Amino acid sequence: MICLMNKNQPAPPKKAPSLWLAIVLAILLACGAVALFGAFIYVFSNGAEQLGFSTFGILVVFVVISGIFAWLVKRFSDAASDLSRIWFPEDSDESD
């Protein structure tokens, strides 16, 4: 049976994952991203060679794929920095 939530009640805030879980997930995500990056570079550069692209064309393919992955790494690091504020709150400058 499906229970419907009252629309007037705010959703409970989500808790951040524990620090150790986040570290393990970050390591797994980094290994997966590196493997995926290598696979994309291999597939696209091999395809560019088969299509008869020049060396410059193959370098352009490499730069575009590298740019996409750099953008993804930036997005992941932005998310991790938001989580680090939860785990390691900054000290307030207010004196008692």
Side-chain angles (χ1 to χ4, degrees), residues 11-78:
K14 293 182 179 179
K15 290 186 177 181
S18 69
L19 181 60
W20 294 109
L21 176 64
I23 290 172
V24 170
L25 288 175
I27 290 170
L28 290 175
L29 183 65
C31 291
V34 168
L36 187 63
F37 176 72
F40 276 167
I41 291 296
Y42 173 75
V43 167
F44 281 101
S45 63
N46 194 16
E49 285 179 14
Q50 289 179 357
L51 287 173
F53 283 18
S54 65
T55 304
F56 180 73
I58 295 170
L59 285 175
V60 168
V61 169
F62 177 74
V63 168
V64 168
I65 293 173
S66 297
I68 292 169
F69 271 87
W71 177 79
L72 287 173
V73 167
K74 183 191 179 314
R75 298 296 297 159
F76 287 133
S77 66
D78 288 347

